[in-house]
């Protein structure tokens, strides 16, 4: 059973859905191997963060190589969900399965790009906000969502995200660790 603690608070977001309260510990890397880096997690997931009035999407995008045979470079994109997306998410709470689902990552017209083409080090995480290119965005909620799933759906990430510090090796023998 995951351990509860003071950094695990659940609150309702601006679409009346239960979300994990934003805490900087849930953004930090989980270890020293590449698979444990938060930046690596973005290859399969997007991060949704909210303030009291706005909801944001942070997603990885891939810059095309500048020359043939070159590697694609990961960049991040910070977007604000549009009123249309928020209205669909609210309506889905009241009338489930009556409107089309929003697929992760969002496409226009459901988000507006605020900061395109970000390097990971341009995201400055703080205890109650993120600063990007000199602009501060206060944060209250957060949610990781797997790419390709519907934004409003609850999924297998809920328990892991509400209790991210649960010991992943809890049920393993010492020689498996």
């Amino acid at each position: 059973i995951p351990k509860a603690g003071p950094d695990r608070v659940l609150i309702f977001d601006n679409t009346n859905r239960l979300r994990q309260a934003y805490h900087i510990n849930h953004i930090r890397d989980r270890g020293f191997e590449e698979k444990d880096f938060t930046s690596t997690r973005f290859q399969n997931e997007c991060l949704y963060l909210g303030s009291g009035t706005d909801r944001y999407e942070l997603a990885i995008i891939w810059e095309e190589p500048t020359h043939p045979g070159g590697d694609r470079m990961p960049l991040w994109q910070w977007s604000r969900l549009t009123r249309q997306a928020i209205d669909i998410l609210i309506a889905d709470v009241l009338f489930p399965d009556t409107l089309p689902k929003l697929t992760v990552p969002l496409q226009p017209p459901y988000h507006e790009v605020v900061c395109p083409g970000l390097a990971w080090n341009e995201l400055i995480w703080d205890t109650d906000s993120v600063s990007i290119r000199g602009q501060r965005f206060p944060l209250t909620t957060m949610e990781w969502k797997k790419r390709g799933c519907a934004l409003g759906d609850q999924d297998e990430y809920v328990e892991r995200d509400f209790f991210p510090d649960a010991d992943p090796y809890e049920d393993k023998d010492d020689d498996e660790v």
Side-chain angles (χ1 to χ4, degrees):
I1 294 179
K3 302 171 187 102
D7 61 340
R8 293 176 189 92
V9 177
L10 305 180
I11 58 178
F12 287 94
D13 69 4
N14 61 348
T15 63
N16 204 30
R17 294 176 184 275
L18 191 59
R19 296 288 175 245
Q20 177 176 354
Y22 168 79
H23 195 283
I24 193 169
N25 286 346
H26 305 305
I27 303 295
R28 66 178 167 78
D29 292 339
R30 299 285 181 207
F32 297 105
E33 296 180 34
E34 186 175 349
K35 68 178 181 59
D36 298 324
F37 296 163
T38 300
S39 55
T40 301
R41 188 173 185 182
F42 279 97
Q43 293 177 18
N44 297 312
E45 300 174 54
C46 295
L47 179 59
Y48 290 87
L49 299 137
S51 67
T53 56
D54 291 312
R55 192 143 181 232
Y56 302 97
E57 175 187 74
L58 182 61
I60 196 170
I61 55 174
W62 294 96
E63 181 181 64
E64 293 302 320
T66 56
H67 59 280
D71 292 333
R72 296 186 325 158
M73 297 298 297
L75 296 173
W76 282 261
Q77 179 171 279
W78 180 258
S79 303
R80 180 181 294 112
L81 274 65
T82 62
R83 183 75 236 172
Q84 183 178 4
I86 298 295
D87 288 346
I88 289 172
L89 292 170
I90 291 171
D92 190 53
V93 171
L94 301 172
F95 310 104
D97 301 322
T98 58
L99 294 171
K101 297 289 185 182
L102 302 177
T103 305
V104 174
L106 295 178
Q107 301 298 318
Y110 303 114
H111 75 112
E112 57 186 34
V113 178
V114 178
C115 299
L118 296 166
W120 182 249
N121 62 1
E122 290 184 274
L123 300 158
I124 311 299
W125 301 99
D126 201 352
T127 56
D128 64 349
S129 64
V130 62
S131 294
I132 305 170
R133 295 180 178 160
Q135 186 174 359
R136 183 178 174 272
F137 297 90
L139 301 173
T140 55
T141 62
M142 63 179 296
E143 171 188 29
W144 287 98
K145 293 298 285 187
K146 187 174 182 177
R147 288 175 171 270
C149 77
L151 182 56
D153 291 347
Q154 295 292 333
D155 59 18
E156 71 274 11
Y157 293 92
V158 171
E159 183 172 315
R160 183 190 71 198
D161 287 342
F162 287 166
F163 303 101
D165 293 330
D167 186 355
Y169 305 110
E170 189 171 37
D171 297 323
K172 295 184 180 180
D173 295 331
D174 286 339
D175 28 324
E176 289 183 60
V177 177

